[in-house]
Amino acid sequence: MNPSILDRMKVVQGDITKMEVDAVVNAANTSLLGGGGVDGAIHRAAGPELLAECKTVGGCPTGEARITKGYNLPAKYVIHTVGPVYGGRPQDSTLLASCYQNSLQLAADHKVETIAFPAVSCGVYGYPIEDACRIAVDTTARFLEDHPSIEKVNFVQFSEENRQVYEDYLKQIS
Ligand code: ADP
């Protein structure tokens, strides 16, 4: 992998709501009306205005992404994407890759330079972290090659195990 692309991807362990980036990505559900996990944490930290804006968006199909303001978050924007519920089907990986691709495209369209992703679909939606990590990193790396305006993509992991999976994969492809 081109070292200049690798330098623009970083693994962080922590809470995505604290990230000082231009945009944080939310692992939302199709209603965009809030939920548990990272979605609940982002809505709590952003405040009720986020839900009010989400109500005007009209939902989001699986694999797509929508952008709102970040309100009380340090981030200027929240990019809401809906990952697949893992079922071991061939379309799961295509849909998960689309989440990263579409989120990054919205980011580029809004002149976002720094962005943070959670492990989309890897909580309640049950996607195995090793497979999801490869899809996240490979899709992001391809996007960064064509989009020099995006300076840094942070993959924010809540758990030490998931952080290690990302570190190992980035090392493997370097
Ligand atoms: P999904 O429904 O897409 O599976 P979840 O929110 O259940 O989404 O989980 C996605 C990932 O986000 C999981 O790995 C979970 O541990 C992680 N996560 C939950 N809260 C946070 C947070 N505040 N910051 C970063 N990651 C988080």
Side-chain angles (χ1 to χ4, degrees):
M1 164 96 38
N2 180 338
S4 69
I5 299 292
L6 272 174
D7 279 352
R8 290 159 65 203
M9 298 191 284
K10 191 177 168 196
V11 188
V12 177
Q13 190 179 353
D15 178 354
I16 200 166
T17 67
K18 305 281 195 290
M19 291 294 292
E20 304 214 346
V21 286
D22 297 332
V24 294
V25 177
N26 182 17
N29 57 51
T30 52
S31 76
L32 296 187
L33 299 181
V38 73
D39 195 4
I42 286 174
H43 275 273
R44 275 193 300 279
E49 287 170 297
L50 178 61
L51 182 59
E53 185 176 353
C54 283
K55 283 181 179 161
T56 70
V57 174
C60 178
T62 304
E64 294 191 18
R66 302 287 185 268
I67 193 164
T68 65
K69 288 189 266 183
Y71 299 99
N72 295 336
L73 292 169
K76 183 175 181 194
Y77 297 111
V78 179
I79 295 174
H80 307 261
T81 192
V82 182
V85 176
Y86 184 72
R89 297 171 300 256
Q91 66 264 35
D92 293 343
S93 57
T94 314
L95 286 167
L96 189 61
S98 297
C99 288
Y100 284 88
Q101 171 77 29
N102 289 324
S103 297
L104 289 163
Q105 187 62 57
L106 268 181
D109 292 346
H110 288 78
K111 312 221 176 312
V112 163
E113 293 178 348
T114 56
I115 183 168
F117 279 95
V120 177
S121 284
C122 293
V124 174
Y125 284 3
Y127 216 110
I129 186 70
E130 287 81 5
D131 295 344
C133 166
R134 261 184 265 122
I135 292 165
V137 170
D138 294 352
T139 306
T140 300
R142 271 195 298 276
F143 192 90
L144 291 179
E145 279 176 22
D146 304 332
H147 296 83
S149 67
I150 298 195
E151 286 171 11
K152 189 72 91 183
V153 178
N154 297 278
F155 296 106
V156 181
Q157 306 303 314
F158 226 19
S159 71
E160 165 62 23
E161 296 99 282
N162 287 8
R163 186 191 62 80
Q164 198 58 54
V165 169
Y166 269 77
E167 296 284 8
D168 290 349
Y169 186 59
L170 287 171
K171 201 175 288 170
Q172 189 189 317
I173 62 173
S174 66

